[in-house]
């Protein structure tokens, strides 16, 4: 690990000023991505601004929206009664991620900004466009079983590994961001950037911008929702494919539908087309497979991950049928 | 550089940066230690190297195995991914803090009774995690124990006996 100066932020403004002023500075929250990647020398900040003591840990319910401080931990949010009651898919996505120890450390803001698990990204000894723009991508001709089939480019095929981002994206959550020039609210649908020719740019944050809160719209009472995570082990493993879905079924018809996928995309993958197909349809096998088809439309297989396309489709059908069968 | 973490840029070769040292107060098992650490020092290394509390083990040093599990402000966390500077002033509990007046914690007794270990390298992490598991109210079934102990790996595969040891202390006897 490279040496760095350590600064403990006392206020949000202090934190933003410290990082904005120094191109080599970055934030430290739970540290489960940040410290890990500093050990590998993938990250080499000259200044680490510790935000863990900022008062951004409240969870409040406001007019149908849950406002979550960015430093709320995964365990804290999963335990919140409104999340358990009105956002079961978010709770499930949180509890199916990482391990209890990591979830006690990991914050929601940090979770959304976690970096890919692509093994080449994590190894400064090999070429990676995300780590070093223009260097090349070792995964295209390497081990890519865990890599993405949606949103890829010749420059990068790495998956975004967050589980909870998928559930938050499905329900239409936004992040509140503070920069030196004030605050803005960015819907998650506009937050992440597919790699294209600039895989090192992962989202719309400018250097120094701090996520202060998440705004999560509550599902209507009576909505059914869940998060299905398919992985190589029963627990403590990243997704091969995952599905976050919510349905409102009334009088034999789907009145509202939310759908997003994880483990298959270079960014958490929202599928508005599938949501449209589901809306006003009868909840049956036919429309579920049409939605699954739409969800994986445009998927491109690499040498080792072609199985993810069918796996993703089947996960969509399984999740939607499970919700439809719930009483 | 919009959207990219600035540190993801690769700097041209290792450049010498001055070592930065900061004072920290580590409150470990009720005792306050005032030490100075290199900012890079993890809580794990501070416990083992500065305070000589070597009960906490370093397995992977990358947040994957759970051997380094300790409690910070009452929650189980991984000391290998926690910076000592960040733990300044927080209440830390390690395996050395479980015994009371020479009497081992019931989970320590139970791990011995059920042979919940072979080499013992993962054991302090397993026990610290298990103490928290029971406090969190998540030891209600063997499946729950397995799920909520999944962050603690055991290369020797002592898992069945670890589950038995926890089950007994969680108060469900040997039959669950
Ligand atoms: C072994 C292991 C297994 C894991 N398994 C899973 C899994 O199954 N599912 C899953 O979803 N995740 C998993 N994770 C990832 C984990 O959830 C993330 O590392 C964690 O959520 C990051 O949060 P943090 O608070 O630790 O962030 P940090 O590591 O402190 O920060 C991450 C990044 O975000 C920046 N940052 C942090 N907070 C803010 C903010 N408020 N505003 C602006 N920038 C900020 C930091 O500068 C840094 O670049 C796993 C991690 C490990 C180590
Ligand atoms: S897939 Fe992306 S992150 Fe992985 S080596 Fe290629 S460029 Fe790097
Ligand atoms: S040593 Fe910390 S998790 Fe392995
Ligand atoms: S007893 Fe050897 S690793 Fe668990």
């Amino acid at each position: 690990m490279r040496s760095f100066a350590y600064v403990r932020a006392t206020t949000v403004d202090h934190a933003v000023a410290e990082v904005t002023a120094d191109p080599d500075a970055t934030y430290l929250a739970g540290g489960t991505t940040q410290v890990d990647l500093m050990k590998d020398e993938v990250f080499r900040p000259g200044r680490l601004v510790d935000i863990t003591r900022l008062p951004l840990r409240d969870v409040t319910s406001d007019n149908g929206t849950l406002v979550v401080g960015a430093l709320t931990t995964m365990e804290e949010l999963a335990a919140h009664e409104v999340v358990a009651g009105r956002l079961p898919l978010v709770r499930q996505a949180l509890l199916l991620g990482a391990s209890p120890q990591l979830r006690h450390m990991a914050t929601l803001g940090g979770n959304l900004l976690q970096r890919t698990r692509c093994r080449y990204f994590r190894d400064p000894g090999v070429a990676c466009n995300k780590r070093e723009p223009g260097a090349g991508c070792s995964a295209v001709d390497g081990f890519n079983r865990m890599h993405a089939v949606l949103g890829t480019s010749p420059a990068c095929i790495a998956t975004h590994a967050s589980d909870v981002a998928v559930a938050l994206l499905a329900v239409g959550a936004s992040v509140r961001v503070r920069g030196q020039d004030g605050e803005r609210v960015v819907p998650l649908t506009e937050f992440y950037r597919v790699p294209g020719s600039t895989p090192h740019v992962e989202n719309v944050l400018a250097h120094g911008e701090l996520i202060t809160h998440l705004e999560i719209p509550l599902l209507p009472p009576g909505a059914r929702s869940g998060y299905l995570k398919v992985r190589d082990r029963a627990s403590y493993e990243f997704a091969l494919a995952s599905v976050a879905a919510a349905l409102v079924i009334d009088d034999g018809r789907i009145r509202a539908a939310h759908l997003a996928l994880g483990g298959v995309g270079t960014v958490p993958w929202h599928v508005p087309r599938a949501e449209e197909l589901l809306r006003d349809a009868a909840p049956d096998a036919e429309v579920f497979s049409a939605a699954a088809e739409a969800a994986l439309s445009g998927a491109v297989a690499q040498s080792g991950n072609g199985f993810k396309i069918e796996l993703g489709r089947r996960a969509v059908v399984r999740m939607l049928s499970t919700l439809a069968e719930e009483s | 550089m919009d959207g990219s973490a600035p540190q993801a840029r690769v700097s041209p070769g290792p450049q010498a940066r001055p070592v930065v040292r900061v004072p920290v107060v580590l409150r470990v098992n009720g005792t306050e230690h005032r030490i100075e650490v290199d900012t890079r020092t993890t809580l794990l290394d501070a416990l083992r190297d500065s305070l000589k509390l070597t009960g906490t083990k370093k397995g992977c040093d990358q947040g994957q195995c759970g051997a380094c599990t300790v409690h910070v402000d009452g929650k189980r966390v991984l000391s290998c991914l926690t910076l000592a500077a960040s733990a300044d002033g927080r209440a830390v509990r390690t395996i050395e803090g479980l015994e009371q007046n020479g009497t081992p914690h019931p989970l320590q007794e139970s791990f011995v009774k059920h042979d919940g270990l072979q080499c013992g390298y993962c054991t302090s992490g397993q026990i610290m995690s298990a103490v928290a598991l029971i406090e969190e109210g998540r030891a209600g079934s063997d499946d729950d124990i397995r799920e909520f102990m999944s962050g603690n790996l055991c290369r020797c595969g002592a898992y069945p006996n670890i589950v038995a040891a926890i089950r007994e202390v969680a108060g469900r006897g040997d039959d669950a």
Side-chain angles (χ1 to χ4, degrees):
Chain A
M1 208 191 293
R2 302 297 173 88
S3 288
F4 57 88
Y6 170 86
V7 180
R8 187 173 299 150
T10 48
T11 62
V12 168
D13 287 342
H14 175 219
V16 171
E18 282 282 342
V19 175
T20 307
D22 178 355
D24 275 333
T26 194
Y27 295 114
L28 172 71
T32 61
T33 290
Q34 186 63 38
V35 176
D36 191 14
L37 289 174
M38 282 166 65
K39 288 187 181 194
D40 288 337
E41 299 211 344
V42 173
F43 288 175
R44 306 164 182 195
R47 177 187 305 264
L48 209 49
V49 178
D50 183 345
I51 56 174
T52 51
R53 311 214 181 188
L54 297 180
L56 296 175
R57 227 162 149 162
D58 287 2
V59 181
T60 52
S61 222
D62 172 30
N63 233 342
T65 301
L66 198 67
V67 180
V68 178
L71 293 172
T72 308
T73 66
M74 292 170 73
E75 277 284 323
E76 285 164 352
L77 189 61
H80 197 277
E81 56 174 349
V82 175
V83 176
R86 298 284 295 279
L87 294 164
L89 77 176
V90 172
R91 178 179 155 85
Q92 289 168 24
L94 286 165
L95 292 179
L96 290 171
S99 69
Q101 290 97 314
L102 286 160
R103 295 194 299 261
H104 278 305
M105 305 170 74
T107 65
L108 265 295
N111 189 300
L112 297 178
L113 297 172
Q114 66 177 281
R115 305 305 295 272
T116 181
R117 308 302 292 191
C118 172
R119 65 166 76 175
Y120 305 107
F121 173 73
R122 302 170 70 86
D123 176 0
V126 301
C128 168
N129 287 323
K130 195 186 269 303
R131 186 165 23 76
E132 198 184 342
C137 170
S138 300
V140 169
D141 296 315
F143 290 100
N144 50 38
R145 181 171 175 273
M146 294 297 286
H147 285 69
V149 291
L150 289 164
T152 57
S153 74
C156 180
I157 57 171
T159 36
H160 194 282
S162 171
D163 289 298
V164 74
V166 177
L168 293 173
L169 179 68
V171 298
S174 304
V175 288
R176 251 187 232 167
V177 175
R178 181 81 73 87
Q180 223 163 20
D181 303 326
E183 187 173 273
R184 59 183 179 135
V185 176
V186 186
L188 283 185
T189 48
E190 294 163 23
F191 183 74
Y192 292 107
R193 286 276 172 263
V194 292
S197 57
T198 52
H200 59 293
V201 180
E202 297 194 346
N203 55 59
V204 301
L205 291 184
H207 177 68
E209 279 192 310
L210 181 80
I211 299 178
T212 59
H213 297 86
L214 284 67
E215 298 179 359
I216 316 175
L218 300 181
L219 291 170
R224 314 148 183 229
S225 78
Y227 186 74
L228 173 67
K229 184 173 179 182
V230 184
R231 45 190 166 170
D232 284 331
R233 301 190 283 211
S235 183
Y236 197 21
E237 182 55 278
F238 290 93
L240 291 168
S242 71
V243 180
L247 296 176
V248 176
I249 301 176
D250 186 30
D251 216 7
R253 295 269 150 194
I254 299 171
R255 304 299 170 184
H258 300 271
L259 189 72
L261 280 74
V264 289
T266 51
V267 295
W269 201 256
H270 184 221
V271 211
R273 175 76 193 122
E275 293 174 344
E276 266 166 46
L277 288 169
L278 290 164
R279 214 167 297 134
D280 297 324
D284 58 24
E286 198 182 330
V287 74
F288 293 163
S289 58
E293 211 44 59
L296 273 295
S297 123
V300 177
Q302 303 295 325
S303 56
N305 68 356
F307 73 97
K308 280 194 175 187
I309 299 176
E310 185 57 23
L311 186 67
R313 288 194 194 109
R314 292 189 193 189
V316 170
V317 171
R318 162 97 68 91
M319 182 77 262
L320 293 172
S321 332
T322 308
L323 294 180
E325 282 156 23
E326 256 176 33
S327 45
Chain B
M1 265 172 83
D2 280 6
S4 64
Q7 69 273 36
R9 275 184 286 141
V10 174
S11 42
Q15 81 255 79
R17 282 191 193 148
V19 170
V20 184
R21 299 184 69 82
V22 287
V24 298
V25 178
L26 291 182
R27 295 200 291 127
V28 185
N29 304 325
T31 305
E32 206 173 277
H33 304 264
R34 289 173 186 276
I35 57 171
E36 206 183 72
V37 295
D38 182 327
T39 50
R40 293 171 289 185
T41 312
T42 59
L43 176 59
L44 173 61
D45 287 342
L47 290 169
R48 291 181 54 85
D49 300 342
S50 303
L51 307 187
K52 308 295 176 203
L53 292 170
T54 54
T56 306
K57 301 301 180 200
K58 182 186 285 190
C60 64
D61 209 22
Q62 293 254 270
Q64 295 173 8
C65 74
C68 66
T69 302
V70 300
H71 300 180
V72 172
D73 287 348
K75 308 283 186 219
R76 49 175 157 159
V77 300
L78 302 175
S79 58
C80 72
L81 292 185
T82 305
L83 292 180
S86 194
D88 180 36
R90 308 256 192 233
V92 180
R93 193 180 192 198
T94 69
I95 189 81
E96 289 90 348
L98 288 188
E99 57 94 21
Q100 292 205 318
N101 306 320
T103 308
H105 187 280
L107 267 166
Q108 292 174 304
E109 304 266 26
S110 187
F111 266 66
V112 173
K113 175 177 161 192
H114 290 275
D115 220 2
L117 58 139
Q118 265 185 56
C119 76
Y121 201 79
C122 70
T123 310
S124 43
Q126 298 280 359
I127 291 177
M128 292 312 289
S129 201
V131 169
L133 171 91
I134 293 174
E135 285 168 6
E136 290 164 15
R138 284 169 159 169
S141 68
D142 284 6
D143 279 350
D144 277 358
I145 294 174
R146 286 188 199 100
E147 172 60 31
F148 292 104
M149 287 296 290
S150 66
N152 292 84
L153 307 187
C154 175
R155 291 298 300 266
C156 300
Y159 296 114
N161 297 357
I162 292 171
V163 172
I166 297 172
R167 180 200 300 140
E168 175 166 317
V169 177
R172 294 181 302 113
D174 279 318
D175 54 352

